[in-house]
Amino acid sequence: MKQGKAVVVGGSIAGMSCAHALSAAGWEVVVLEKTMSAPTSCTTGAGLGLDKLSHKLIQPWLKQPEKLDVMTLPLTVEYDQATDVNKNISRTLARDPSFNFKVVHWSDLHRLLYESLPPEVVLLWGHFFLSLSISEDKSSVKVVAKLLQTDETVEIVADLLVAADGSLSPIRKHFLPDHKLRYSGYCAWRGVIDYSDNENSETLKAIKKAYLDLGNSCYFDLGSEGHVVFHELINRRFNWVWYLNQEEPRFEGNSLTTKVSQDMIEEMYELAEKVWIPELVKVMRETKDPFLNAIYDSEPLEQLYWNNNVVLIGDAAHPITPHSARATNMSILDAAVLGKCLEKWGPENLGSALEEYQSIRLPVAKEQVLYSRRSGRIKQRLPVSGREIFDPMTASEEESKVLQIRNTPYFNVMPSILM
Ligand SMILES: Cc1cc2nc3c(=O)[nH]c(=O)nc-3n(C[C@H](O)[C@H](O)[C@H](O)COP(=O)(O)OP(=O)(O)OC[C@H]3O[C@@H](n4cnc5c(N)ncnc54)[C@H](O)[C@@H]3O)c2cc1C
């Protein structure tokens, strides 16, 4: 039987997962990543929440699956809380004891995935994707990439091109030049604070008193100025994200992270003091280099593949807001489903394999993107069609269940092709 060859553009979580899944399906895989080398520091990125399905899907890809447990912290409870510091109100709106996420540093998960790649997978760092062309008989795809170190260009011909090139995907742009990202109406101030060598910190003691179930739970605090997500990571590190409604910021280059000045950080702290409890503000103030992400998604796509030989996965396929903790989990699921479809149909029936991949993933992606958008708007007290603005100060426990992540459509549903 002919062995299929795939070129994957993007070597982040979707690209690495895809390399595992396609290799397991018997495909030859080449991954192109523009980053010059694998990130080494665990400070790259912040926390990711792996759900039950992702945890299960990743295990067989890993050389030492037990390492995944060592580097993740299980969070079993979701707390949604209302906070008004002026009125001295802090109350639990809803509590879900079946939260069941494992949080992990992006770079820890990334490293684990690429260090476990089978030796036959070719991983090319420092390769910037430039263009693609489909052969005249439409049986193959040619990718041109630039080696960033030398400026040389290389060409790779394959049966399949997988776009795992993130939410700004240049490959998606090739097919859908008019498809735009959509600004959510808010940005996220965020940071990770490390108390590993300062376990007796007064701030740490105070925050543990204020958030009694920290270490085991993910807290969502809703206030008059957006909402905060707060939880522990492994090794006494703590991740906080504050979503704040504001105008769309300006960006330099191809990034969705804005540069922040010391003045902007100081303004953020001053506002935080007016809306969040002092223990949390102290954590924010002691965090080194907080940064600002603008939050985007896009209208769900109508298709995920073109010409029977180019397919999108991960953020390239469905840019999504973070409120249902889907981006990474969807990437892993996309990769696993794509691998199984390719295995089922074989390289000679690529069209059928991609059609099945799309039929499984497109409806799920569409509903999850729209649900996460709606969920973010509810938590940010932005208008949502068909309902009144959510008021955390007056909402009942029943009304507050709308905030819980487990209500996301298809949550924890394993596609039958993977069973
Ligand atoms: C360094 C880094 C840190 C992150 N940290 C976090 C985090 O802490 N928390 C969180 O929730 N999410 C984080 N993310 C985002 C998270 O990985 C994704 O939202 C999700 O996992 C989906 O992943 P993805 O692989 O589809 O997209 P991405 O993670 O965005 O990966 C896209 C990849 O494509 C590569 N690429 C893009 N254009 C080209 C090109 N022209 N040529 C070659 N390569 C290209 C990029 O360099 C990148 O590695 C991080 C992403 C990165 C890259």
Side-chain angles (χ1 to χ4, degrees), residues 250-303:
R250 285 168 175 270
F251 295 105
E252 279 162 32
N254 216 8
S255 160
L256 299 182
T257 303
T258 44
K259 274 210 153 70
V260 290
S261 63
Q262 203 48 47
D263 285 351
M264 286 166 76
I265 295 177
E266 205 43 56
E267 250 176 61
M268 181 268 287
Y269 291 150
E270 281 168 22
L271 183 57
E273 259 151 24
K274 292 186 191 135
V275 288
W276 304 121
I277 58 170
E279 293 87 342
L280 181 61
V281 180
K282 227 163 165 234
V283 166
M284 291 173 168
R285 278 197 176 272
E286 288 180 15
T287 302
K288 214 171 135 233
D289 303 327
F291 59 101
L292 189 63
N293 276 149
I295 306 299
Y296 289 86
D297 64 9
S298 79
E299 288 309 317
L301 301 187
E302 297 298 328
Q303 62 184 107

Side-chain angles (χ1 to χ4, degrees), residues 139-214:
S139 67
S140 63
V141 53
K142 184 168 80 185
V143 164
V144 180
K146 183 165 84 172
L147 273 75
L148 293 175
Q149 205 159 26
T150 60
D151 262 2
E152 283 170 75
T153 54
V154 287
E155 293 181 357
I156 300 171
V157 177
D159 302 301
L160 176 66
L161 165 60
V162 183
D165 49 353
S167 58
L168 295 167
S169 172
I171 297 173
R172 188 183 67 231
K173 228 170 250 160
H174 175 96
F175 292 99
L176 300 171
D178 298 327
H179 186 82
K180 298 262 176 321
L181 292 185
R182 174 190 157 283
Y183 179 57
S184 63
Y186 46 92
C187 288
W189 276 101
R190 54 193 307 188
V192 173
I193 186 159
D194 185 347
Y195 287 112
S196 55
D197 53 6
N198 191 10
E199 298 233 10
N200 293 322
S201 147
E202 290 305 317
T203 312
L204 180 59
K205 284 183 196 156
I207 201 81
K208 283 186 158 182
K209 272 194 191 152
Y211 294 85
L212 284 174
D213 212 4
L214 202 59

Side-chain angles (χ1 to χ4, degrees), residues 239-255:
N239 184 34
W240 59 268
V241 186
W242 175 12
Y243 297 96
L244 189 57
N245 297 346
Q246 63 175 75
E247 300 263 292
E248 184 174 4
R250 285 168 175 270
F251 295 105
E252 279 162 32
N254 216 8
S255 160

Side-chain angles (χ1 to χ4, degrees), residues 65-228:
E66 64 284 359
K67 273 197 173 176
L68 185 59
D69 288 323
V70 175
M71 62 176 57
T72 55
L73 183 76
L75 297 184
T76 53
V77 186
E78 170 184 341
Y79 283 95
D80 294 290
Q81 310 190 127
T83 303
D84 184 337
V85 280
N86 295 322
K87 294 190 189 136
N88 211 5
I89 296 175
S90 187
R91 68 180 182 107
T92 301
L93 292 167
R95 180 180 180 275
D96 175 16
S98 61
F99 188 58
N100 208 0
F101 273 86
K102 299 200 175 202
V103 285
V104 56
H105 252 282
W106 178 89
S107 54
D108 285 346
L109 177 64
H110 186 249
R111 187 166 0 99
L112 195 60
L113 285 172
Y114 86 78
E115 284 179 356
S116 298
L117 283 177
E120 56 276 16
V121 170
V122 178
L123 176 52
L124 302 171
W125 301 105
H127 281 59
F128 187 91
F129 164 86
L130 290 176
S131 64
L132 69 97
S133 53
I134 311 287
S135 65
E136 230 164 75
D137 66 357
K138 299 202 184 323
S139 67
S140 63
V141 53
K142 184 168 80 185
V143 164
V144 180
K146 183 165 84 172
L147 273 75
L148 293 175
Q149 205 159 26
T150 60
D151 262 2
E152 283 170 75
T153 54
V154 287
E155 293 181 357
I156 300 171
V157 177
D159 302 301
L160 176 66
L161 165 60
V162 183
D165 49 353
S167 58
L168 295 167
S169 172
I171 297 173
R172 188 183 67 231
K173 228 170 250 160
H174 175 96
F175 292 99
L176 300 171
D178 298 327
H179 186 82
K180 298 262 176 321
L181 292 185
R182 174 190 157 283
Y183 179 57
S184 63
Y186 46 92
C187 288
W189 276 101
R190 54 193 307 188
V192 173
I193 186 159
D194 185 347
Y195 287 112
S196 55
D197 53 6
N198 191 10
E199 298 233 10
N200 293 322
S201 147
E202 290 305 317
T203 312
L204 180 59
K205 284 183 196 156
I207 201 81
K208 283 186 158 182
K209 272 194 191 152
Y211 294 85
L212 284 174
D213 212 4
L214 202 59
N216 182 43
S217 306
C218 189
Y219 285 90
F220 296 81
D221 284 0
L222 282 74
S224 58
E225 295 287 346
H227 76 286
V228 165

